[in-house]
Structures are given as structure tokens and as C-alpha cells.
Amino acid sequence: QTLRIRWRELSQEQRESFLGLIESESSRLSGLVGDVLDTSRIEAGSFPYDFDAIDVEELVRETATVVALGQDEVRLVTRVAPTLPRVHGDQERLRQLLWNLLTNAVKYTVAGDEVEVSARKENGSVAVSVRDHGPGIPPDAQELIFEKFGRVSGDGKPGAGLGLFIARSIAEAHGGTLEVESEAGEGATF
């Protein structure tokens, strides 16, 4: 409304600033609506999956590249073991899970530091981990963050507390798990 009413008064730089704000807020709201819909589908048991043979190495590298391109403050390091077996899963849902973990890791990591994503064979399965160098998660909040709307109080970061709920639900639908290891001030590994 301000942009429309004051268009002629605003400098080009101010207009660009308003447009950038509109774009980022629209994107944030779109993501929130998507997360709320996904959460409703998960709870109703109607979250759709399309299982096929998935190349985990390709999935990890592509998702990390997209997340890295979307920001320039945190370096993403990818370590994928050679000759990972293909897994039976839904590529888009696994991408969503990984996207949630990587964007959270970037959000909580200090500019100039790095986030590491790795994939390896482990006991007949494929284990994927995302490690950040953020503030860590207090022990009493380590299960809370996986609950619907669960957030660490006072973290000051934007979010509705749905991403990890969705990510864990996707992992479990694939016969897997999603857990966190963290100590205060030492970052977190999912």
C-alpha cells in the first residue's frame, strides 16, 4: 500500500527495498502455508509419497548446491562416501527433509562458518547427517524441536516450528529416524 500510494515520492532505491521486502515476506508466507498444509496432511495420514529407487549422492549434492546458492554467508561442505547404495524412497520428500535440515543449519550458523552434510553406508542403511556450528540445542529442548510448533524459546530466529516435525515424519515414513546430537555452544548434528 505504501509503495502504491507513495510511488512518485520514493527513490528507485527505496522502491527496490520495498519490492525486496514484499518478495521475501511473500516467500516466507508461502513456505509457512505449505508447511501448515503438509502438517495437516501428515496428521490426517494423507501425505502423499511416490517411492522409487533414489540416488542419495545425487540428492545430497543437488540439495546442498541449491541451499548454498540461496545464501552467501555460510559455506556448505558436502562429504559423500563413494558407492552409496540406492535407497527406496520418495525423492521429493527426501529433498524436502534435507532442505529443512540444511536451511535450519544455515540459519543457526554464524556468517563465515560452515555447515557440513555427509552421507555414508551404516549397518546396511544409508545415514545422512547435517552438522552446524550454531548455538546448540539445550537437552530439555531436543525432543521439543521435533514437535509440531516446537521451538527453542528465545532463539530469536524466524520460523513456525514445523520444519523438523515434517522432516521427522518424512524420515519415519521411509523406515528411518531423525535425531539430534547437540551441546550448548557446540552446534548440532541431525
Side-chain angles (χ1 to χ4, degrees):
Q1 184 179 16
T2 301
L3 188 59
R4 189 178 64 248
I5 292 169
R6 296 182 49 208
W7 183 264
R8 295 185 202 285
E9 303 169 28
L10 298 172
S11 69
Q12 182 63 27
E13 184 178 314
Q14 290 171 316
R15 290 180 200 151
E16 290 294 327
S17 177
F18 271 108
L19 290 171
L21 181 61
I22 290 167
E23 180 181 23
S24 69
E25 287 301 303
S26 296
S27 180
R28 186 184 66 78
L29 287 173
S30 175
L32 177 60
V33 169
D35 284 351
V36 169
L37 289 173
D38 285 348
T39 299
S40 296
R41 289 183 193 119
I42 288 167
E43 290 182 323
S46 62
F47 198 55
Y49 291 96
D50 183 19
F51 288 88
D52 202 357
I54 306 299
D55 182 336
V56 177
E57 177 181 3
E58 181 181 314
L59 177 70
V60 167
R61 290 190 190 284
E62 285 178 0
T63 307
T65 298
V66 170
V67 171
L69 290 173
Q71 57 85 39
D72 60 0
E73 294 186 353
V74 175
R75 189 166 51 99
L76 264 75
V77 177
T78 305
R79 292 185 170 85
V80 180
T83 65
L84 285 177
R86 293 175 81 78
V87 299
H88 185 69
D90 182 316
Q91 181 151 337
E92 289 312 307
R93 294 303 179 200
L94 291 173
R95 185 183 322 277
Q96 181 179 9
L97 183 163
L98 194 52
W99 170 271
N100 283 345
L101 294 179
L102 287 170
T103 55
N104 271 357
V106 167
K107 177 169 52 172
Y108 287 98
T109 297
V110 176
D113 211 331
E114 70 180 30
V115 166
E116 178 183 321
V117 57
S118 62
R120 66 195 177 288
K121 289 186 270 188
E122 188 175 279
N123 300 325
S125 297
V126 175
V128 177
S129 64
V130 174
R131 183 174 59 91
D132 67 47
H133 296 269
I137 302 162
D140 61 331
Q142 290 183 11
E143 277 306 310
L144 170 70
I145 60 172
F146 293 107
E147 293 176 13
K148 187 171 59 169
F149 303 112
R151 305 264 334 245
V152 174
S153 64
D155 72 9
K157 300 290 184 179
L162 296 174
L164 291 174
F165 171 80
I166 294 167
R168 181 176 263 183
S169 298
I170 293 170
E172 290 172 350
H174 284 80
T177 61
L178 178 57
E179 300 164 354
V180 64
E181 294 175 10
S182 180
E183 290 185 32
E186 299 293 323
T189 302
F190 287 86

